[in-house]
Amino acid sequence: GRLLNDRYQIKEKIGGGGMADVYLAKDTILDRRVAIKVLRLEYANDEEFIARFDREAQSATSLSHPNIVTIYDVGEEEQILYMVMEYVDGMTLKEFIQRYGPVDVPEAIEIMKQITAAIAHAHENDIVHRDIKPQNILIDTYGHIKVTDFGIAVALSATSLTQTNSILGSVHYLSPEQARGGLATKKSDIYSLGILFFEMLTGRLPFSGQSPVSIALKHLQSDTPSVRRFNQDVPQSVENIVLKATAKDPFHRYNTVYEMEESLEVALSPEKINESKYVPPT
Ligand code: ATP
Ligand code: MG
Ligand code: MG
């Protein structure tokens, strides 16, 4: 492969979406694998996309947490903007769910605890992720979680400057207040975390429909379906976490991701985790 900046040897493409591609590469100086996110060439002269890419790099580099993908380097070569990051050898949580189906309750809670720890750290730094979905959660071969893709994240201090009401993230994880046209807040991340938890426990999305608009309407109007209807192994206490995170009214949700993390911790205790199971009399 070609060398980027005389240092990074590009191997294969491992992902990408609308505005960027992600490659597996080798850092020839430190002799290790890295992932490099590159702004697509067609956007090399597009001020808006350059600004967005810069914002992503800024948000991601300002965070330092074991459950957030580490950014090693940001640079530019011949108009190509790139971001060098920790390579996560594994798969996305989406692929994980597709491959193995609903995740066992204790494992789903373990995974959620790592994701909430990452988002709590972002929130402490006043960064709202806005694009929490299984495609943006990486899981390595040891089951360690790394949250990635701060592509549409916003710093709350700069909200008025950069945040628009336009819906940028996936409609499947869209909070009711955003569906209504409001700005994304920490509470809207909590809503997306609840939808993500639902998906892990059931292997399906709570709301689907013919069009993005019909899905957005369901986030606004339809009750979150019962997790236990799709997976009888889920204790009521765990279903309650999904329900509280996905409350329509932000005031009825967890106040902080940290609070949600605490509920997950309690749900993992032996008395709680066995709640739904039949215990034979002794
Ligand atoms: P776009 O902005 O163009 O829509 P994107 O923002 O979705 O693209 P990412 O989510 O950052 O781009 O990355 C796309 C995919 O690349 C991920 O879903 C994942 O499969 C893979 N990927 C991203 N970062 C890494 C990494 N550090 N290690 C391994 N794989 C990664
Ligand atoms: Mg992504
Ligand atoms: Mg993105």
Side-chain angles (χ1 to χ4, degrees):
R2 74 179 280 270
L3 271 188
L4 186 65
N5 236 348
D6 291 331
R7 175 168 183 175
Y8 305 105
Q9 193 168 30
I10 306 291
K11 310 273 190 202
E12 79 221 59
K13 186 174 161 182
I14 51 175
M19 70 176 233
D21 291 313
V22 180
Y23 296 91
L24 171 64
K26 186 180 156 187
D27 179 345
T28 58
I29 292 181
L30 293 175
D31 191 27
R32 64 175 175 187
R33 290 187 295 183
V34 292
I36 305 188
K37 190 167 182 174
V38 177
L39 182 65
R40 288 247 181 87
L41 210 51
E42 65 239 56
Y43 301 121
N45 293 308
D46 189 318
E47 292 300 328
E48 196 195 319
F49 282 96
I50 293 170
R52 221 197 260 184
F53 197 81
D54 282 344
R55 260 204 314 275
E56 172 172 6
Q58 253 171 42
S59 296
T61 46
S62 71
L63 300 173
S64 169
H65 190 275
N67 298 118
I68 295 178
V69 169
T70 304
I71 308 298
Y72 296 140
D73 190 13
V74 178
E76 177 179 356
E77 187 191 59
E78 289 170 21
Q79 290 196 315
I80 299 171
L81 292 182
Y82 63 87
M83 197 161 56
V84 181
M85 57 188 150
E86 165 184 17
Y87 171 65
V88 181
D89 190 8
M91 59 182 100
T92 69
L93 191 56
K94 189 77 185 179
E95 291 159 344
F96 186 82
I97 296 168
Q98 276 164 355
R99 190 172 303 185
Y100 303 110
V103 183
D104 286 345
V105 176
E107 195 183 1
I109 295 175
E110 274 303 338
I111 292 173
M112 274 313 288
K113 275 176 60 188
Q114 296 181 62
I115 300 170
T116 52
I119 300 303
H121 176 78
H123 287 186
E124 267 169 35
N125 289 279
D126 281 332
I127 289 172
V128 178
H129 188 286
R130 294 205 296 177
D131 201 12
I132 296 168
K133 57 182 178 182
Q135 293 90 324
N136 289 334
I137 314 281
L138 306 175
I139 179 165
D140 73 12
T141 42
Y142 301 99
H144 295 147
I145 291 296
K146 301 275 180 178
V147 173
T148 188
D149 197 356
F150 286 76
I152 56 169
V154 283
L156 286 179
S157 56
T159 290
S160 53
L161 290 175
T162 58
Q163 197 178 354
T164 58
N165 289 0
S166 55
I167 292 164
L168 296 163
S170 164
V171 74
H172 285 109
Y173 307 86
L174 187 73
S175 69
E177 61 274 19
Q178 285 173 283
R180 204 175 274 123
L183 294 180
T185 63
K186 292 175 183 177
K187 294 264 192 168
S188 24
D189 273 354
I190 292 175
Y191 184 87
S192 305
L193 287 168
I195 301 290
L196 176 75
F197 197 22
F198 181 104
E199 189 176 358
M200 257 202 285
L201 294 166
T202 64
R204 66 195 294 290
L205 286 159
F207 303 122
S208 54
Q210 296 297 316
S211 68
V213 171
S214 72
I215 297 168
L217 277 173
K218 287 180 182 164
H219 284 295
L220 266 174
Q221 296 168 348
S222 306
D223 289 338
T224 307
S226 160
V227 172
R228 277 154 71 86
R229 215 182 90 207
F230 300 105
N231 182 351
Q232 277 81 36
D233 291 337
V234 177
Q236 186 62 48
S237 59
V238 173
E239 168 158 339
N240 290 345
I241 296 175
V242 172
L243 294 177
K244 185 155 184 183
T246 59
K248 302 290 177 208
D249 183 344
F251 286 102
H252 294 155
R253 276 176 224 154
Y254 290 104
N255 281 312
T256 61
V257 182
Y258 182 69
E259 233 178 60
M260 184 173 177
E261 206 180 338
E262 281 179 334
S263 288
L264 290 163
E265 186 73 53
V266 172
L268 206 51
S269 66
E271 322 75 89
K272 286 285 181 191
I273 205 82
N274 291 317
E275 196 175 78
S276 66
K277 297 188 184 127
Y278 174 71
V279 183
T282 46

